[in-house]
Each structure stands twice: as C-alpha cells, then as structure tokens.
Amino acid sequence: MKKIVLTYGFVAGAVVTAFMLFGVYLFMNKPDFDAGMLLGYTGMIIAFSFSYVGIKNYRDKENNGEITFLKALSIGLLISFIASTIYVGVWLIEYYCFFTDFMDKYAESALKKIDKTTLSAIEIKNKTAEIMQYKEMYKSPIMVILLTYAEALLPTGLIIPVICALILKRKAK
C-alpha cells in the first residue's frame, strides 16, 4: 500500500505542479485571477483523480479484488495529502520567490469586482473587510500554508477520494 500511495501521490503532485507552473506562465503574461483559478482547480481535479487509479490498483493487485470503503478512503486521502503537500510547497516557493506582491494584486482585483450597483454600503464594507483580512493573513507564513492546504484539500482533495472510495469499494465474497 505504501508504494501505491507514494507513487500516485507524487504523480498527482507532479500534475498539480505542472498546472500551477503553466498558470504562473500565463499569469506573468496577463494577470487573470479567474482564468488562473479555473486552470488551478482543473489541475487539482485531474491530479486528485489519481486517487481512483491508486485505490483500484491496491484493490485489484494487492488485495485480491476486495476493499472496504474506509480502506479505499484512507488510500485516496493519503494520495490527496501528498499531492496537496507538493502543491503547498511549490506555491510557497512561487509566492516568496517570484510573487511577493501576489496578495496586493489579488486584493486589488477582488476589490474591483465588488458590484457596487447591487450591494448595499454595509455589504460592500463587509466584502472589503473580508478581502483585507485575507491580505493580512497572508503576511504570516503559517497562514499561507494553512490557506493553501485549505484551497487544495477542502474542495477537491476530500471530495474526490470519497467518490472514488464509494465507486471502488468491494466486499469479500
């Protein structure tokens, strides 16, 4: 199991890193946070889909075609965690070495997108405060790490392994 988790975790990490690096290339030529987010989550979905391959390989090759939901889920989550850790590490290098002004640009872009025609003054103030709070949190390396893990693991890195475990579980005959 260890070999499968490491292999597919590193493959998934390589996929998510490739998408991230391509996104950085695009961002350097034309900063577009929406396109970057779409590209990033596409990469995460593809990368975390290696949970399926890893679980299936374990079930079919090492466990005689049987696997419980919990075992399948644990394999999928471990693969997601390895890929997410690689994602976080690459982002830390990119952020601290190449994009030290990322949050300034992101906050500026997010503030411009606030629809001032349909929101009340209080809603605008609250959205502005939320954006500024994220900008402030990004000043702490620990918060950068935690927020980046949350970005990767919470939406896709947890959901995809659950779906894969549900699809691939197979009880003993």
Side-chain angles (χ1 to χ4, degrees):
M1 181 178 103
K2 185 177 179 181
K3 182 180 177 189
I4 286 175
V5 167
L6 290 173
T7 300
Y8 289 103
F10 282 114
V11 169
V15 169
V16 79
T17 296
F19 272 83
M20 184 188 294
L21 293 175
F22 183 65
V24 166
Y25 169 76
L26 293 177
F27 185 80
M28 290 175 83
N29 292 315
K30 183 183 178 217
D32 183 353
F33 290 99
D34 292 335
M37 191 179 306
L38 178 63
L39 183 66
Y41 279 109
T42 300
M44 286 181 206
I45 289 169
I46 292 168
F48 294 137
S49 294
F50 280 94
S51 294
Y52 180 90
V53 180
I55 295 166
K56 187 169 183 343
N57 273 338
Y58 177 79
R59 181 192 74 186
D60 295 345
K61 293 180 181 175
E62 293 188 21
N63 212 37
N64 299 321
E66 302 168 356
I67 195 164
T68 65
F69 171 78
L70 288 177
K71 186 68 167 181
L73 181 61
S74 68
I75 292 169
L77 289 175
L78 287 169
I79 291 168
S80 287
F81 181 73
I82 290 169
S84 296
T85 301
I86 292 168
Y87 176 82
V88 170
V90 171
W91 174 243
L92 289 171
I93 293 166
E94 286 182 349
Y95 179 67
Y96 285 108
C97 295
F98 303 107
F99 296 116
T100 55
D101 63 344
F102 173 82
M103 274 313 279
D104 293 329
K105 289 179 180 177
Y106 180 80
E108 180 183 329
S109 173
L111 289 170
K112 284 181 185 175
K113 288 181 185 172
I114 294 175
D115 186 359
K116 294 177 175 71
T117 59
T118 60
L119 298 176
S120 69
I122 292 173
E123 289 172 320
I124 292 170
K125 182 180 176 186
N126 289 342
K127 285 197 176 284
T128 301
E130 181 182 336
I131 292 165
M132 299 314 286
Q133 181 181 12
Y134 276 108
K135 186 177 172 183
E136 190 63 31
M137 288 192 303
Y138 242 71
K139 291 179 181 178
S140 162
I142 298 296
M143 289 308 297
V144 174
I145 291 168
L146 292 175
L147 290 170
T148 308
Y149 264 116
E151 173 186 318
L153 273 175
L154 292 181
T156 53
L158 294 177
I159 293 170
I160 291 175
V162 169
I163 293 168
C164 294
L166 285 169
I167 292 169
L168 293 169
K169 69 179 178 174
R170 193 181 294 162
K171 292 182 182 180
K173 293 178 182 177

